[in-house]
């Protein structure tokens, strides 16, 4: 089967190349904004890709700094913008908006043949970036280039992206692989949380420490206070000084370091889970609704706004959606399956008796069933993972579920417990 993956590496640019790539990034962002303005001004009956394409060609001829964007990259901006509207019309995303100067800069290289990727040594490679020249990058993964490349195994394109620690290139790699054999590992339910990032229904946990060390967290707080003080002393409408820009860059670098550590942990944890289990069940959470602000309106202000803001930051810091995305494609590569089950009451229901009893969730970490005929007690996240496993076994196809061992295979409770009323 055909597999498409992205491979991201850091570019090592010379000072002149850095200036050129920065100009391309700003030009691509400006082109997006000009397209957005033109789209809004054009009557609906006259909007078309051909009209927008003609506008791009004229703009690149007349405006020098737009001419810094390669022609194919400019066409890619138009295609990406149109695709954003298609996703909006189909309800998959919000409508495209104006891109701020602080937004993430990116430049497309649509054709893989233009990259001319070569390996220089065991740890270094180089590629061709249009209007920039040959650029060195760290060779961290074998790419299908040179004699190893063919119609089915090749680099189909790339994208330059600006991160806090410099410019990176993301290669789009297409490879032909054999269909994976069915993964006969056991099944498990996983509950995602804050105190316990991943709680498994076999009773184990996957945990991590703080993303930033104590000294790094203190430095981040100090930089944020400095930035706030400098903002307060700035006159309305005044542009940022070089010193406050430098402070913002230092804050970005620290936050990017925390993000890289979180990504590293997520990759290691999800790879281990995908290697071990053949079927994984998770809650089908609407995370965007969970992290909404509790401010409310002037007429109906919200309650516990500061506490809710702290919870929202914790949820966003765990990146639950990214964890599920990683698990999904890694399980598929290994012949496993991931199922999403309904989330309501998984943390309130006792898995042992199947009842929802008021007061059973004693705290964020402890669950004690108040049903007089049960009395099960244990970690609240583990109980939720048991409920996720039960829901997965009840809803997933039986030919997949029945072929595997489960941590609750000896569970003697009622399989239809999800329909039981609240016990008082």
């Amino acid at each position: 089967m055909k597999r498409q993956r992205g491979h991201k590496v850091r570019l090592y640019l010379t000072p002149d190349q850095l200036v050129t790539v920065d100009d391309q990034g700003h030009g691509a962002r400006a082109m997006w904004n000009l397209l957005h303005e033109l789209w809004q001004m054009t009557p609906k009956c006259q909007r078309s890709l051909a009209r927008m394409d003609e506008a791009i060609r004229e703009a690149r001829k007349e405006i020098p700094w737009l001419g810094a964007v390669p022609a194919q990259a400019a066409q890619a901006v138009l295609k990406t913008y149109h695709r954003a509207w298609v996703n909006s019309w189909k309800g998959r995303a919000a409508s495209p908006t104006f891109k701020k100067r602080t937004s993430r800069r990116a430049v497309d290289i649509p054709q893989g043949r233009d990259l001319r990727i070569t390996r220089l040594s065991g740890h270094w490679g180089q590629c061709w970036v249009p209007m920039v020249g040959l650029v060195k990058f760290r060779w961290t993964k074998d790419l299908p280039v040179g004699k190893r490349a063919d119609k089915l195994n090749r680099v189909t394109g790339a994208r330059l992206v600006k991160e806090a620690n410099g410019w990176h290139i993301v290669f789009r790699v297409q490879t032909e692989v054999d269909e994976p054999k069915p993964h006969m590992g056991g099944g498990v339910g996983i509950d995602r949380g804050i105190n316990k990032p991943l709680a498994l229904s076999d009773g184990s946990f996957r945990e991590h420490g703080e993303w930033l060390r104590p000294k790094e967290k203190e430095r981040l707080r100090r930089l944020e206070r400095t930035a706030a003080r400098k903002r307060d002393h700035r006159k309305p409408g005044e542009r940022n000084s070089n010193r406050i820009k430098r402070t913002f860059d230092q804050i970005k670098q620290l936050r990017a370091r925390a993000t890289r550590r979180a990504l590293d942990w997520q990759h290691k944890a999800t790879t281990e889970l995908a290697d071990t289990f053949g079927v994984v069940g998770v809650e089908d959470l609407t995370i965007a609704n969970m992290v909404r602000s509790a401010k409310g309106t002037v007429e109906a202000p919200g309650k516990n706004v500061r506490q809710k803001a702290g919870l929202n930051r914790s949820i966003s810091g765990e990146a639950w959606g990214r964890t599920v995305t990683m698990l999904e494609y890694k399980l598929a590569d290994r012949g496993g399956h991931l199922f999403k089950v309904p989330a309501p009451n998984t943390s309130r229901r006792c898995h042992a008796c199947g009842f929802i009893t008021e007061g059973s969730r004693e705290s964020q970490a402890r669950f004690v069933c108040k049903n007089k005929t049960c009395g099960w007690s244990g970690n609240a996240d583990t109980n939720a993972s048991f409920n996720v496993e039960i829901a997965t076994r009840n809803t997933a196809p039986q030919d997949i579920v029945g072929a595997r061992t489960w941590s609750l295979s000896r569970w003697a409770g009622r399989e239809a417990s999800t329909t039981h009323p609240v016990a008082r």
Side-chain angles (χ1 to χ4, degrees):
M1 66 177 185
K2 188 185 295 183
R3 178 193 293 170
Q4 294 190 353
R5 291 286 185 268
H7 177 54
K8 182 178 178 182
V9 292
R10 184 176 177 181
L11 292 176
Y12 290 82
L13 303 163
T14 65
D16 291 339
Q17 290 176 336
L18 180 60
V19 172
T20 305
V21 176
D22 280 338
D23 289 343
Q24 289 188 11
H26 285 302
R29 180 189 64 86
M31 193 165 291
W32 172 284
N33 291 336
L34 291 173
L35 281 171
H36 184 61
E37 187 175 354
L38 180 61
W39 184 275
Q40 300 289 349
M41 293 169 56
T42 306
K44 290 185 178 180
C45 59
Q46 298 180 14
R47 293 173 181 171
S48 67
L49 283 175
R51 181 185 177 91
M52 300 296 165
D53 180 51
E54 183 63 29
I56 283 179
R57 294 176 187 273
E58 292 298 324
R60 292 186 70 252
K61 291 178 182 177
E62 297 176 3
I63 306 174
W65 48 270
L66 280 182
V69 183
Q72 289 189 339
Q75 296 296 319
V77 173
L78 174 59
K79 292 179 182 178
T80 304
Y81 182 77
H82 183 261
R83 193 182 309 121
W85 273 113
V86 173
N87 291 335
S88 173
W89 295 330
K90 294 185 177 181
R92 295 195 291 258
S95 302
T97 58
F98 182 87
K99 285 191 176 183
K100 299 180 181 178
R101 189 176 179 83
T102 55
S103 61
R104 191 187 195 193
R105 280 174 276 170
V107 183
D108 272 316
I109 306 175
Q111 300 294 334
R113 63 174 180 269
D114 296 337
L115 291 167
R116 308 180 204 170
I117 303 170
T118 55
R119 187 169 187 174
L120 301 178
S121 64
H123 299 289
W124 291 97
Q126 72 177 11
C127 64
W128 177 270
V129 177
M131 300 180 72
V132 177
L134 290 172
V135 179
K136 294 178 65 177
F137 64 88
R138 293 288 289 179
W139 191 280
T140 56
K141 179 181 179 181
D142 285 338
L143 298 171
V145 296
K147 296 181 179 179
R148 299 180 55 195
D150 53 38
K151 264 191 171 182
L152 300 177
N153 300 276
R154 58 197 176 95
V155 178
T156 60
R159 186 177 178 87
L160 305 177
V161 292
K162 178 70 178 292
E163 303 287 359
N165 60 338
W167 280 92
H168 294 67
I169 186 167
V170 183
F171 297 112
R172 293 190 287 270
V173 183
Q174 174 186 300
T175 54
E176 184 77 9
V177 296
D178 296 331
E179 286 282 350
K181 296 180 180 179
H183 192 322
M184 298 312 296
V188 71
I190 297 179
D191 176 69
R192 292 163 287 171
I194 303 298
N195 292 333
K196 301 291 185 182
L198 297 177
L200 277 61
S201 58
D202 61 0
S204 63
F205 302 98
R206 302 297 184 273
E207 302 180 72
H208 59 75
E210 295 288 340
W211 302 130
L212 291 176
R213 300 184 181 93
K215 288 186 177 180
E216 292 171 334
K217 292 172 69 174
E218 178 58 32
R219 182 165 180 260
L220 178 60
R221 281 194 294 268
R222 193 165 58 249
L223 288 169
E224 288 175 338
R225 287 196 297 266
T226 301
R229 185 176 66 252
K230 291 178 179 178
R231 277 199 305 266
D232 291 341
H233 286 82
R234 188 182 55 185
K235 296 178 182 178
E238 184 182 359
R239 296 190 67 175
N240 289 333
S241 66
N242 289 331
R243 280 193 286 183
I244 194 172
K245 287 180 181 177
R246 186 162 58 249
T247 303
F248 287 153
D249 288 341
Q250 291 171 335
I251 292 173
K252 285 180 184 178
Q253 289 171 7
L254 279 172
R255 289 177 176 168
R257 185 180 301 173
T259 301
R260 290 195 298 272
R261 288 172 180 168
L263 272 169
D264 180 68
W265 178 83
Q266 284 181 309
H267 272 295
K268 291 176 179 177
T270 53
T271 298
E272 185 259 330
L273 291 173
D275 287 339
T276 306
F277 300 102
V279 175
V280 175
V282 296
E283 296 169 296
D284 189 7
L285 299 175
T286 308
I287 301 173
N289 293 341
M290 296 177 66
V291 296
R292 274 196 184 137
S293 173
K295 285 183 178 180
T297 62
V298 176
E299 296 79 12
K303 297 180 180 179
N304 299 325
V305 176
R306 290 179 65 86
Q307 293 88 333
K308 182 65 167 65
L311 177 62
N312 291 348
R313 282 194 298 271
S314 299
I315 294 174
S316 299
E318 292 299 331
W320 292 342
R322 189 168 62 201
T323 301
V324 172
T325 301
M326 290 181 180
L327 263 177
E328 195 166 16
Y329 80 78
K330 289 179 181 181
L331 281 166
D333 288 347
R334 293 160 175 78
H337 303 273
L338 183 133
F339 295 99
K340 297 180 181 180
V341 300
N345 297 322
T346 52
S347 61
R348 299 177 60 219
R349 179 184 297 110
C350 175
H351 77 280
C353 65
F355 282 97
I356 302 172
T357 311
E358 293 295 336
S360 293
R361 185 73 181 263
E362 290 189 343
S363 66
Q364 188 69 24
R366 184 148 182 84
F367 187 97
V368 179
C369 183
K370 302 300 182 183
N371 186 2
K372 296 180 180 178
T373 61
C374 179
W376 184 90
S377 64
N379 185 276
D381 294 330
T382 300
N383 176 70
S385 67
F386 287 156
N387 285 321
V388 172
E389 179 185 319
I390 295 168
T392 303
R393 294 174 64 183
N394 289 341
T395 58
Q398 290 305 307
D399 59 330
I400 295 175
V401 172
R404 291 166 174 82
T405 58
W406 295 78
S407 60
L408 288 179
S409 58
R410 297 184 300 276
W411 183 71
R414 292 182 289 266
E415 288 295 327
S417 61
T418 55
T419 61
H420 288 169
V422 176
R424 300 284 184 182

